[in-house]
Amino acid sequence: MLMGLARGLFKHYEDYHAYGPSRLKAIGVLGAITYCIFYFMRFTRPDASLTADLGERALAIILFAILGLRDYWPEKLKPYYIRVSYVVVLYSLPCFTVLVALQRSGGVANISNAFIVLSFLVLLTDWRNTLVMLAAGTGLAAAIYWATTPDPQVPMDLVAQLPAFALIVIGGNLFKSNTDKIDAERKLRATQALAGSIAHEMRHPLAQLKHSLEGMQEVLPAPGAARQTAKLDAQQVQQLYRHLARGEQAVQRGLQVISMTLDEVSARPIDASAFRHLSAAEVVHQAVEEYSYDNDAARDKVTVTVADDFTFKGDETAYLFVLFNLIKNALYYLAPYPQTRVTITIGNQQVKVHDNGPGIAPDALHGLFEPFRSVGKSGGTGLGLAYCQRVMRAFGGEISCVSVPGQSTEFTMRFPGISEEEREAHWRDAVAEARAVLAGKRVLIVEDDAVQRMATRHKLGPLAVTAELDEAADGQLAIDLLTRRAYDIVLLDLHMPGLDGYAVAEKIRNDPGINQDARIVAYSSEPAHLARAKALKGGMDGFISKPCAQLPLLAALQQSVQQPRGLGRHAPGRLAGRRILLADDSSFSRKAVAAYLRNAAATVIEAEHGQAVLDQLNALEGFDAIILDLHMPGMDGLETAQAIRSSSAAWSTLPVVALTAHSDEQAVAAARAAGMDGFLVKPVESAHLYETLVRLLGGSAVASPAVTQPLAQGPPPVPDAGLLNLQRLESYRRLGMVEELLEDYVPEMAKLVLALQEAGRADDQPLSLGALHSLLGMSGEAGAQALYQHVRRIYVPLLEQGQWPAGENWLAELQALAARTESALKAYCETEFRSNA
């Protein structure tokens, strides 16, 4: 019981110091300096003892210094900072002060010191810990005094001040409590205003997304018996991709709103290390092309004029946000002012965004770029223009506004010039990097236009020193060349007569007689947002708009080679020979992840709990990475990761990946705080697993690639397939795990449903949580997607809030769904067995 009270008390102390600037670090610096100064002030008094309390004072100064130097602590020790601070504050403030006052028999100076220290103690702790520290510190000081003093005396003048001391404690905490309530009220109102503003800003992209989904629904054939024979014509497919592209634009716009808001609210600095040389004209054209317009009429209102292009140094994504914001502001009053036109002019190291809308009043121009200032718009966050100014200043430039009410508004962005020497040096460095990355690569340029082929070859001319360039004038010729020779990169025009780029990509990816591992970069003048979605769906690795300058084209080819590909057929060469330590208390979850890893030619060592992980690390050598389930009996994943990171052994620096079915922000933050490097959500997808490990391990194999099993013809659709994740089941089929799926996973899920039934009827929450946790992981791994989602909707509220599902039939509904899922899984497995017979 006492341990529980102590933990609760310390939790209040932790919560008190959880947010805001570190008061503990400040008191550490101040205390160390002040205690030193007070000691040296003794030299001004001839009767002062220079050795009195020297040892106790030196210890307090050292402890204060340790607290103040937190930024220099080793990373392994920083998690213990709050615990250390509790001891430092308790000794260096109440204990030391009372001890010195007792040793000096009170006196005005020591009473004054006690008042000062008590005031600091009130500021540094919540009221509970103030009382506990005051009592504990005083008691410890009294014990030391009585044990070390031959004739201990109680200073009565110090005792006489006890009412005043009590007044400081009570009054200080009451004042602090009222201040906290006022701050909480201010934060609540600010949060409500910000949440309302973000909600308003998000309505537009969400409405656009809804419109895109409705458009896709109109194009799709009606469900029913005819779904096996229903087909889409070319025009309908094009409409689907158009709606998909617009939906992705809406999602991107929403993410931009969130990102911009979070960056501005937190004043997150813009990372200048990621800056690169950008063409002002190219970025502006990209922004105008990719902006999420309400309709085509709004798009026609925006024109771009390039007086002369120029290069600036900055971050492309951040500047796109700026342009999106200015375009949005310019089009905001389009409905009441339909004559509005927006002209973006590029030249003289400036980009100007001009509109002939209603303008801005002169008194509103002042403070226009300050946060939370919204002019003439209801519901806006007021962060957009502040973000624009912050981005431009990070680029070394500025943004200004001139407006004439009733006539026009013009925003001008001025960029610092880049010298010819710097441009030339940048060009040389970029070309040299591309040559190094693409050295020895074979590049095939597929383009039906002879002039475009010549221009592209000219742009890729610097690669001819270290790479090999070939050309194909049409899709069929490209296929013939790919059949005879192995190419590393295919730069592919999408629109060609005969076999177009999409058909060529499909043949490359599906024909075993062609080098399927070639990286394909789409090169097209088709609208980027539309073509990019289609290109990636068609198995291509990158996209570059046509026309483009030389350096972006080189960068696109370079990126296609450097970026990891998460596809299963490319993973073996990058994980081959790696030794992975996998820990999960669920044998079924381990089996699935281990199968993916072994298919990638990795060596997998399995463990059931955290202590087994540490035992394996101590017993064996040569591990390359560790995958830890967060929820395991005994030592869980977080505790295991902390033990690994705090160890002095060589394996303490190995990459550690978290594995869990509970993926909220708190779980991710806890994993990072424990020293984990990656995060995988159950059920684990092979692509994400491979991509995460390749990223952490650098992607270089240490052994020859494994030979994966050849793909069999896919089984025909099974009844009730909506219950299942067929893509995941297909991966099991490739791994040869279908028989295990039927023999192990299906019966185990049935057992877990029965266990949940018993726990639910007994209203036993811990047992129910355990059964739900296991069933969540099991159903996800087995590809039972409907059951997985249903269980998750029950598990998360029960885990986080202790809230049972609403209604009396939740258990019966789950059992019915589990029965349907079992039938669907058996049907799938039986179909697979028949297809292999």
Side-chain angles (χ1 to χ4, degrees):
M1 181 176 177
L2 289 177
M3 288 299 296
L5 290 174
R7 290 193 190 97
L9 186 68
F10 183 70
K11 183 65 169 58
H12 286 296
Y13 180 78
E14 277 187 314
D15 293 342
Y16 188 79
H17 292 285
Y19 303 102
S22 177
R23 288 165 286 191
L24 294 171
K25 186 170 70 173
I27 196 63
V29 175
L30 179 64
I33 295 174
T34 304
Y35 278 26
C36 286
I37 292 174
F38 279 13
Y39 173 75
F40 287 108
M41 286 176 60
R42 296 180 183 180
F43 288 89
T44 62
R45 303 194 307 272
D47 59 335
S49 172
L50 301 181
T51 58
D53 68 55
L54 184 59
E56 298 90 336
R57 184 178 296 270
L59 177 59
I61 292 172
I62 292 172
L63 292 175
F64 270 139
I66 291 173
L67 211 58
L69 297 174
R70 180 191 180 279
D71 294 343
Y72 300 95
W73 280 35
E75 290 298 326
K76 294 180 180 179
L77 298 181
K78 284 183 179 180
Y80 304 100
Y81 182 79
I82 296 295
R83 301 178 191 178
V84 173
S85 72
Y86 199 96
V87 177
V88 173
V89 171
L90 190 151
Y91 171 80
S92 301
L93 289 180
C95 179
F96 174 75
T97 305
V98 172
L99 178 60
V100 171
L102 290 173
Q103 290 174 340
R104 297 181 181 178
S105 301
V108 175
N110 292 298
I111 292 175
S112 300
N113 290 343
F115 278 115
I116 295 171
V117 166
L118 189 56
S119 300
F120 276 118
L121 187 63
V122 170
L123 292 175
L124 286 172
T125 56
D126 62 284
W127 67 269
R128 305 168 190 80
N129 283 282
T130 297
L131 297 177
V132 170
M133 282 191 175
L134 189 60
T138 302
L140 181 60
I144 295 174
Y145 174 68
W146 252 262
T148 57
T149 304
D151 185 20
Q153 300 291 328
V154 178
M156 296 311 297
D157 55 351
L158 192 63
V159 174
Q161 299 301 321
L162 288 179
F165 293 153
L167 181 62
I168 291 177
V169 173
I170 297 172
N173 280 286
L174 286 175
F175 176 79
K176 191 168 60 174
S177 176
N178 289 331
T179 303
D180 290 343
K181 289 180 180 178
I182 294 172
D183 288 343
E185 182 67 23
R186 287 175 178 170
K187 291 175 183 177
L188 177 61
R189 292 181 181 179
T191 302
Q192 289 172 337
L194 183 59
S197 298
I198 294 175
H200 176 85
E201 293 279 4
M202 288 295 293
R203 284 195 184 101
H204 173 69
L206 288 176
Q208 184 176 0
L209 179 60
K210 182 175 183 291
H211 175 72
S212 297
L213 293 175
E214 289 172 349
M216 296 173 71
Q217 188 177 27
E218 291 177 2
V219 176
L220 289 171
R227 67 177 181 270
Q228 303 297 338
T229 58
K231 294 183 180 180
L232 300 176
D233 59 33
Q235 183 178 2
Q236 289 174 316
V237 171
Q238 186 69 9
Q239 288 177 344
L240 278 177
Y241 273 110
R242 187 179 299 113
H243 289 306
L244 174 64
R246 288 177 176 174
E248 289 180 342
Q249 274 189 315
V251 172
Q252 183 65 24
R253 176 59 185 155
L255 293 175
Q256 289 166 359
V257 170
I258 294 171
S259 177
M260 182 184 69
T261 303
L262 293 177
D263 285 353
E264 193 60 32
V265 169
S266 62
R268 184 181 302 165
I270 297 174
D271 184 11
S273 64
F275 287 2
R276 59 187 182 90
H277 287 69
L278 301 170
S279 161
E282 287 185 2
V283 180
V284 169
H285 279 296
Q286 181 182 349
V288 172
E289 187 66 40
E290 296 185 2
Y291 179 74
S292 300
Y293 299 95
D294 288 339
N295 47 55
D296 293 336
R299 168 65 184 86
D300 295 337
K301 299 289 186 180
V302 182
T303 58
V304 178
T305 301
V306 182
D308 65 274
D309 192 13
F310 62 89
T311 301
F312 68 93
K313 193 174 182 180
D315 179 82
E316 181 180 83
T317 302
Y319 190 53
L320 283 174
F321 284 11
V322 171
L323 292 171
F324 287 157
N325 213 338
L326 296 180
I327 294 172
K328 181 193 72 173
N329 289 341
L331 295 175
Y332 183 82
Y333 294 100
L334 187 58
Y337 293 86
Q339 78 285 357
T340 299
R341 296 290 185 275
V342 182
T343 303
I344 305 178
T345 306
I346 304 161
N348 194 27
Q349 292 295 132
Q350 296 179 351
V351 175
K352 296 184 177 182
V353 180
H354 177 94
D355 71 80
N356 60 339
I360 302 173
D363 58 342
L365 285 175
H366 178 69
L368 188 64
F369 297 100
E370 295 178 3
F372 301 103
R373 292 289 295 270
S374 183
V375 179
K377 294 189 294 182
S378 61
T381 60
L383 293 173
L385 292 177
Y387 181 81
C388 294
Q389 184 70 279
R390 197 157 65 88
V391 169
M392 289 304 301
R393 286 175 177 170
F395 293 173
E398 62 176 354
I399 182 172
S400 60
C401 179
V402 176
S403 184
V404 179
Q407 295 185 22
S408 65
T409 300
E410 183 173 275
F411 286 90
T412 301
M413 290 163 283
R414 299 176 179 84
F415 297 83
I418 298 177
S419 66
E420 188 63 34
E421 293 79 7
E422 185 178 352
R423 272 196 293 268
E424 183 65 24
H426 170 69
W427 182 88
R428 287 196 304 268
D429 292 343
V431 169
E433 183 180 358
R435 281 176 177 167
V437 172
L438 301 173
K441 305 295 184 185
R442 287 178 175 172
V443 182
L444 178 60
I445 304 169
V446 186
E447 170 68 65
D448 66 304
D449 188 299
V451 176
Q452 289 279 8
R453 284 202 310 275
M454 182 179 66
T456 301
R457 178 176 276 276
H458 178 72
K459 293 173 186 176
L460 299 182
L463 300 182
V465 178
T466 58
E468 184 176 343
L469 305 177
D470 284 341
E471 298 177 17
D474 57 59
Q476 186 56 55
L477 181 56
I479 294 298
D480 295 340
L481 288 173
L482 285 161
T483 303
R484 296 196 301 268
R485 302 189 64 185
Y487 288 93
D488 299 287
I489 305 172
V490 180
L491 184 60
L492 184 61
D493 181 29
L494 295 182
H495 291 280
M496 299 181 291
L499 283 178
D500 64 11
Y502 299 108
V504 172
E506 183 179 6
K507 283 183 173 293
I508 292 174
R509 292 299 181 228
N510 297 324
D511 191 338
I514 302 175
N515 52 309
Q516 296 175 310
D517 293 341
R519 301 300 176 99
I520 305 175
V521 179
Y523 191 32
S524 175
S525 55
E526 190 175 353
H529 67 284
L530 178 59
R532 183 180 290 111
K534 294 163 64 177
L536 295 179
K537 178 66 175 178
M540 304 183 207
D541 302 283
F543 177 89
I544 185 74
S545 292
K546 185 196 297 183
C548 73
Q550 180 184 50
L551 292 187
L553 181 58
L554 292 175
L557 299 185
Q558 181 179 335
Q559 184 181 12
S560 73
V561 173
Q562 290 178 316
Q563 67 183 4
R565 294 187 64 185
L567 299 178
R569 64 176 178 271
H570 296 280
R574 294 200 283 280
L575 293 178
R578 296 292 191 177
R579 287 170 57 84
I580 312 296
L581 180 54
L582 170 64
D584 193 324
D585 61 309
S586 169
S587 61
F588 299 96
S589 178
R590 286 202 317 272
K591 184 180 295 184
V593 177
Y596 287 141
L597 293 172
R598 292 186 178 116
N599 186 59
T603 300
V604 184
I605 308 298
E606 300 181 35
E608 295 184 355
H609 49 77
Q611 187 57 52
V613 171
L614 299 180
D615 295 341
Q616 291 284 2
L617 289 171
N618 287 318
L620 301 176
E621 296 181 355
F623 286 108
D624 295 291
I626 306 167
I627 301 176
L628 296 176
D629 181 30
L630 292 187
H631 300 284
M632 296 185 292
M635 181 181 287
D636 63 19
L638 295 177
E639 294 170 334
T640 306
Q642 291 170 348
I644 291 171
R645 292 297 183 234
S646 62
S647 173
S648 59
W651 40 260
S652 64
T653 59
L654 287 176
V656 179
V657 179
L659 180 66
T660 182
H662 196 48
S663 57
D664 61 349
E665 290 184 7
Q666 186 176 359
V668 175
R672 288 175 178 164
M676 295 186 170
D677 307 287
F679 201 90
L680 293 171
V681 180
K682 294 180 181 179
V684 177
E685 297 294 337
S686 59
H688 193 198
L689 172 67
Y690 295 151
E691 182 180 349
T692 300
L693 290 176
V694 165
R695 173 176 55 83
L696 294 176
L697 297 175
S700 57
V702 296
S704 59
V707 179
T708 58
Q709 299 180 14
L711 295 181
Q713 292 296 321
V718 298
D720 220 354
L723 292 171
L724 308 179
N725 183 341
L726 295 180
Q727 183 179 3
R728 186 169 189 84
L729 294 174
E730 279 291 284
S731 68
Y732 282 150
R733 185 173 61 84
R734 296 187 188 102
L735 297 173
M737 288 184 61
V738 173
E739 186 174 353
E740 294 183 24
L741 181 70
L742 184 61
E743 294 180 355
D744 296 338
Y745 282 65
V746 172
E748 186 63 24
M749 283 195 297
K751 293 179 183 177
L752 289 171
V753 171
L754 289 176
L756 180 61
Q757 178 181 355
E758 295 177 2
R761 288 175 177 174
D763 201 26
D764 191 324
Q765 191 173 113
L767 284 179
S768 297
L769 279 173
L772 284 168
H773 175 76
S774 299
L775 185 57
L776 185 69
M778 183 72 60
S779 58
E781 296 296 344
Q785 62 182 10
L787 181 61
Y788 170 82
Q789 293 165 359
H790 188 84
V791 172
R792 185 175 178 83
R793 286 193 294 270
I794 298 173
Y795 174 69
V796 173
L798 187 60
L799 176 67
E800 294 182 345
Q801 305 161 16
Q803 179 180 342
W804 289 95
E808 299 179 356
N809 297 324
W810 68 270
L811 189 54
E813 292 173 357
L814 187 146
Q815 289 172 320
L817 180 58
R820 289 172 52 209
T821 300
E822 181 177 346
S823 299
L825 283 171
K826 288 180 178 179
Y828 177 92
C829 295
E830 290 169 0
T831 305
E832 169 60 15
F833 292 151
R834 287 197 301 269
S835 66
N836 291 335

